[in-house]
Amino acid sequence: MSELNLILIGPPGAGKGTQADRLQDDFRIPFISTGDMLRQNVKDGTELGKRAKQYMDAGGLVPDEVIVAMVADRLHRPDAEDGFILDGFPRTVAQAQALDQQMKAAGRHITAALLVDVPDEEIIKRISGRRVCVKSGHTYHVEFDPPKNDSVCDEDGSRLVQRDDDKPEVVRNRLEVYSEKTAPLIDYYDDQGLMRRVDGTRSPAEVHDHIRAMIATLRMEDDV
Ligand code: ADP
Ligand code: ADP
């Protein structure tokens, strides 16, 4: 079977992480979130984490060369040989070009870029209600996906918190950065015929069904 090399694109809070979790179970390929990798580095106090934190706290982007090297390293690991789902990368046209070069050098190609499309007013609701487990990073929503017990993770009983960059003053900046730096990727992948759009305003289960159907079609096309 051909490789499945997927990119998830969408504004912050669109539900990319929620979908990647489910897709990872379906396809047994690693889900690679640059946001999660960076947060782990910050937590561990690595050099990379120290460098990235200032940009993340302000809702800006970590410099391209730092991110590109981090992702290249991750994609070389054996578990990504049969494919991967990238969430949060690429986020600039320069990152997309660097990824294309790496893929070409390895004789691979991107299968598709999936845009999880959600309007700004819904994004604000999703981000302001997002809560994450301090230990596992598992994500909840106070209204749309509440934990069984208030502020406690269903899976391991750890505390749920709001991410620092999910506070309203930072969110505004993240949305601006998205439309300025990341939205141009829609044209970039459209021009390559790789862009697929999903209506992200539906329920998580409906969005998931739509993406799965899309991937089944992509696979059939790829195998012909
Ligand atoms: P969300 O999905 O809510 O937008 P992420 O968890 O993907 O947030 O990213 C959190 C932060 O990590 C971003 O605001 C940015 O500072 C940094 N970051 C993550 N991925 C990248 C990337 N590809 N390039 C630059 N910065 C990134
Ligand atoms: P992203 O990874 O794109 O930043 P998340 O997957 O973390 O987004 O989702 C953002 C918030 O919205 C979370 O609190 C999540 O529980 C909630 N959420 C995700 N998908 C949906 C959906 N389809 N409908 C309603 N809420 C959702």
Side-chain angles (χ1 to χ4, degrees), residues 191-207:
D191 290 347
Q192 296 187 34
L194 295 177
M195 196 57 173
R196 302 287 185 276
R197 288 175 170 75
V198 184
D199 176 4
T201 60
R202 324 276 302 233
S203 72
E206 285 171 309
V207 177

Side-chain angles (χ1 to χ4, degrees), residues 10-13 16 33-36 38-39 52 55-57 59-64 67 87-92 95 127 130 163 165-166 174:
K16 302 179 296 297
S33 155
T34 45
D36 285 351
L38 290 169
R39 278 185 290 279
Y55 300 101
M56 297 170 77
D57 284 349
L61 293 182
V62 176
D64 286 340
I67 294 287
D87 166 18
F89 180 94
R91 240 175 167 101
T92 63
Q95 291 180 13
I127 295 189
R130 172 158 60 185
R163 269 167 50 177
D165 61 347
D166 277 351
R174 288 167 65 202

Side-chain angles (χ1 to χ4, degrees), residues 11-18 126 130 139-141 144-145 200 202-204:
K16 302 179 296 297
T18 302
R126 289 195 186 173
R130 172 158 60 185
T139 302
Y140 298 85
H141 190 283
F144 308 135
D145 181 20
R202 324 276 302 233
S203 72

Side-chain angles (χ1 to χ4, degrees), residues 133-134 136 138 140 147 149 151-160:
C133 170
V134 282
S136 66
H138 189 83
Y140 298 85
N149 296 307
S151 305
V152 178
C153 180
D154 293 348
E155 287 174 7
D156 61 14
S158 299
R159 210 159 39 91
L160 300 183

